[in-house]
Amino acid sequence: MLSGMHEHDGPLTRLRRGHEQSVLELLRKQGPLSRAELSTRSGLSRTTLHDIVAALLGSGAVVAATPQVETRKRGRPVEKLSLNPAAGEAVGIDFARRAVHVAAVNFAHEVVGSASAPHAPDLSWPERVDLAAGLLDALATGPPDADAAGTGGRGTSGVHLDALTAIGVGVVGPIADPGSEHAHAQGIDGLPDLLRKRFGVPVLLDNNTRLAALAEAVWGAAADSSDVLYLRLSHGVGGGLVVGGALHRGRYGLSGEFGHITVDPRGRTCECGGTGCLETRASLDAVLCRYRECGGRADDLAGFLDAVAAAEPTALDVLERVGSDVGGVLAAVCHVVGAGVIVVGGELAEAGPALLDPVERALRRHLMPLAHHHVELRRATLGEAGSALGGIALVLHESPLLTHYPQPRPEEHA
């Protein structure tokens, strides 16, 4: 069973989990330490530390060893405690529209590898699973800190696939029963079964943008806020909500579908069946289409971002209008949920201030004056690995953000 996975999440459990994380963090940052050193540096009492260390040794997150070169002047050699990186791992996979992203953490919750690879949008699910498995295999067999098969991957201590305990997976679109091993969505054609057969461990599924919101709230740009609105501007437009310190999933998996809020009733038809949705104005394809209609020459996002960096008036004007649409939607959602931090991510956010400044202006223009000083706009910090890291958070299930999600029990299925 994974460290941090508890059946009851009461105050005493959270306090104990905090002590466990303090000990793990000390070992992570300072390397092997004796019990006396841990007691001094953690500030925990001997009794509390004894219980915490016993639990970590019992779960396998920590191992004990006696270095031969270091002994006391009298008595037995000093026993040192250290992290056990091979005790178990969790993997997160993000099946985006046109790319696969993977990340892995060890039992001590250290990120030990991440990698990405693009693919054609019509690639089949078996082929996408093969691609994900290939990325993980490359991380497992490649040298530390080397690119994973040329995919831009990175490793710190290698991924041990035989130590997997669960996989958290993000996919595009609404998810029924998100966060559960029984979750499913339209159009995934048996993906959870494919992954279970491939890796032999439970699979927990959710919308990939909601997982990116979870990751930003746990480790990223919004780690200091309990009320967060996350918006991703990519090939699709979606988001996630953290309300009162908990990730909001909603019924039928429809929470965070900001891309299907109408901004122009007379606009273009959206793939959802609506008209003038934000996705028809702010997705990558929509932005590039608008740019070319205005005389721009870029054929892809890289070319468009180059035009933005060169301060091309046409590109900046397009982002001004996109930012106005986005800011208006964000203000409306803020009025409903009272978000304190707004995080904007996705490939379009790479435009930086050229996009975020217009979003900020529109946001301030539409927000009630009372809310102006209570809402902060930030750019996402986790990049392409965000959704995969969110999948790992879903597996570990240790964050209070997941209070209302089903409790995964991978040990029953392994």
Side-chain angles (χ1 to χ4, degrees):
M1 187 171 182
L2 285 171
S3 175
M5 196 176 290
H6 302 273
E7 293 185 10
H8 179 64
D9 197 33
L12 292 179
T13 298
R14 290 195 293 272
L15 178 62
R16 181 183 181 86
R17 188 162 57 201
H19 292 332
E20 289 179 355
Q21 292 306 311
S22 295
V23 171
L24 290 172
E25 188 67 15
L26 281 171
L27 295 175
R28 181 179 300 117
K29 290 182 176 180
Q30 300 184 26
L33 297 171
S34 69
R35 284 174 172 80
E37 291 168 331
L38 275 174
S39 179
T40 299
R41 299 179 193 189
S42 68
L44 298 175
S45 69
R46 288 187 178 184
T47 302
T48 299
L49 182 64
H50 178 274
D51 291 342
I52 295 300
V53 168
L56 292 174
L57 287 169
S59 69
V62 168
V63 293
T66 305
Q68 295 182 358
V69 295
E70 185 175 344
T71 62
R72 302 187 185 206
K73 292 182 180 179
R74 299 179 182 177
R76 297 180 303 173
V78 178
E79 185 179 68
K80 294 282 188 174
L81 301 170
S82 61
L83 299 178
N84 181 8
E89 289 183 347
V91 161
I93 302 176
D94 172 22
F95 290 105
R97 291 177 189 259
R98 302 181 186 182
V100 173
H101 312 287
V102 302
V105 299
N106 62 23
F107 206 93
H109 302 178
E110 299 172 302
V111 177
V112 294
S114 64
S116 300
H119 62 71
D122 58 351
L123 196 69
S124 69
W125 282 116
E127 290 173 307
R128 295 188 196 195
V129 170
D130 287 343
L131 185 56
L135 291 174
L136 290 170
D137 285 340
L139 287 177
T141 59
D145 301 317
D147 279 0
T151 62
R154 61 181 178 86
T156 57
S157 60
V159 176
H160 303 279
L161 295 182
D162 57 348
L164 283 184
T165 51
I167 296 177
V169 177
V171 296
V172 176
I175 303 295
D177 196 16
S180 162
E181 195 191 355
H182 306 292
H184 62 278
Q186 291 183 342
I188 62 173
D189 298 331
L191 174 63
D193 287 336
L194 286 172
L195 289 167
R196 275 191 289 267
K197 291 176 182 177
R198 186 63 175 262
F199 295 103
V201 295
V203 175
L204 306 178
L205 198 70
D206 206 337
N207 171 269
N208 61 351
T209 308
R210 188 156 48 234
L211 291 182
L214 171 62
E216 292 289 346
V218 172
W219 297 299
D224 60 344
S225 180
S226 60
D227 294 284
V228 181
L229 193 169
Y230 173 81
L231 180 73
R232 174 189 270 177
L233 302 174
S234 182
H235 295 285
V237 175
L241 288 170
V242 174
V243 181
L247 185 66
H248 182 63
R249 58 177 178 161
R251 292 195 59 129
Y252 313 116
L254 292 175
S255 172
E257 292 292 338
F258 308 135
H260 300 295
I261 294 176
T262 300
V263 295
D264 181 9
R266 295 172 297 179
R268 296 177 177 174
T269 301
C270 179
E271 64 178 15
C272 74
T275 301
C277 297
L278 180 63
E279 188 163 301
T280 69
R281 308 289 287 266
S283 67
L284 296 184
D285 287 343
V287 170
L288 288 174
C289 180
R290 183 184 292 188
Y291 173 65
R292 287 191 287 264
E293 287 175 350
C294 294
R297 297 182 179 179
D299 294 324
D300 54 20
L301 177 63
F304 176 74
L305 292 176
D306 286 342
V308 171
E312 180 189 296
T314 300
L316 296 181
D317 181 63
V318 167
L319 287 183
E320 182 72 36
R321 287 185 282 169
V322 171
S324 180
D325 292 335
V326 169
V329 168
L330 292 177
V333 178
C334 279
H335 289 156
V336 175
V337 300
V341 172
I342 298 172
V343 178
V344 178
E347 294 94 324
L348 194 61
E350 295 176 19
L355 171 69
L356 296 182
D357 287 351
V359 171
E360 178 89 29
R361 288 192 291 271
L363 180 65
R364 302 302 168 190
R365 190 165 61 247
H366 291 286
L367 277 176
M368 293 187 297
L370 182 64
H372 281 189
H373 300 295
H374 299 286
V375 178
E376 184 177 353
L377 181 70
R378 303 175 186 174
R379 182 176 168 181
T381 61
L382 298 178
E384 291 183 337
S387 294
L389 289 170
I392 290 172
L394 192 65
V395 169
L396 298 178
H397 209 90
E398 64 172 0
S399 171
L401 292 164
L402 293 167
T403 299
H404 303 308
Y405 268 66
Q407 179 73 31
R409 300 182 184 278
E411 74 277 4
E412 295 178 0
H413 305 276

